[in-house]
Amino acid sequence: MAATRTRRGATASRRYWLFKSEPAVYSIDDLARDRRTCWEGVRNYQARNLLRDDVAVGDGVLFYHSNADPLAVVGIARVCRAAYADHHAWDPSSPYFDPRSDPGAPTWLMVDVEFVERFAAPVTRAALAAEPALRDMLVLRRGARLSVQPVTADEWRAVLGLAGSRARW
DNA sequence: GCCAACGTTGGC
DNA sequence: GCCAACGTTGGC
């Protein structure tokens, strides 16, 4: 596995994540167009803690379309900026407005991600569920609502395999 | 549209 | 600190 310079230290191994997004809000096509975006709007403490403590520059991200047809991992992204204040919390016009977030000690954080690849064909939830190597994958668990989820290296490789991904990691 | 699972809020 | 009520997520 490749080593990468991260907040965890120069020799830390790269980690992998699954980020959910409703394509009606922000899709892999949007990221392919923008090339890079801030991942705003995480409003769950467990997900926030992952962003703050564990998500690092260089980490791999499976881009998952939720509330969609098809439900699928549709591509991959790479973390390109570590956690910083989600300023949308202070924007009254934002759907993510949360006035309880103190500018001096922000409650909510976000990272930036950059586009890596849109899969030639989405790896559907059904395809994930049919893959024995993914039997423990968090996103497949009933009631798994976490929008930022850890993915193991084996799961990462299995999903890229199902996708026929050409991305090198 | 339904509803199970989950997280948060707030009364006590 | 408990827990019932409520709101949201998100698959089906």
Side-chain angles (χ1 to χ4, degrees):
Chain A
M1 182 185 305
T4 185
R5 172 169 286 278
T6 72
R7 291 185 295 141
R8 298 186 296 274
T11 60
S13 295
R14 178 181 285 127
R15 293 187 194 182
Y16 303 99
W17 308 96
L18 179 146
F19 285 12
K20 293 183 190 172
S21 186
E22 301 191 15
V25 176
Y26 196 83
S27 72
I28 189 71
D29 291 334
D30 294 321
L31 183 60
R33 176 198 63 218
D34 297 341
R35 311 310 290 184
R36 173 178 176 141
T37 191
C38 59
W39 201 265
E40 80 278 16
V42 172
R43 294 291 179 270
N44 167 282
Y45 288 102
Q46 194 180 347
R48 188 278 314 269
N49 292 348
L50 289 172
L51 293 179
R52 183 190 61 199
D53 301 332
D54 295 311
V55 176
V57 171
D59 285 358
V61 174
L62 298 175
F63 197 116
Y64 179 82
H65 280 175
S66 63
N67 267 323
D69 188 14
L71 297 166
V73 178
V74 290
I76 56 187
R78 182 188 293 109
V79 177
C80 58
R81 182 177 174 184
Y84 62 108
D86 182 349
H87 55 78
H88 299 76
W90 305 310
D91 175 3
S93 70
S94 168
Y96 306 118
F97 180 57
D98 182 358
R100 296 170 302 176
S101 182
D102 173 4
T107 304
W108 303 118
L109 305 175
M110 59 185 178
V111 299
D112 289 356
V113 300
E114 61 189 5
F115 178 78
V116 175
E117 180 184 17
R118 174 174 44 201
F119 293 154
V123 179
T124 65
R125 185 176 180 87
L128 298 173
E131 171 54 51
L134 300 177
R135 70 169 63 239
D136 295 325
M137 197 171 182
L138 221 49
V139 74
L140 298 176
R141 197 173 298 174
R142 181 178 167 79
R145 288 167 42 177
L146 201 58
S147 63
V148 172
Q149 304 184 356
V151 169
T152 69
D154 286 344
E155 290 167 346
W156 174 267
R157 279 188 289 270
V159 173
L160 266 58
L162 290 172
S165 170
R166 302 175 314 280
R168 294 186 304 153
W169 285 84

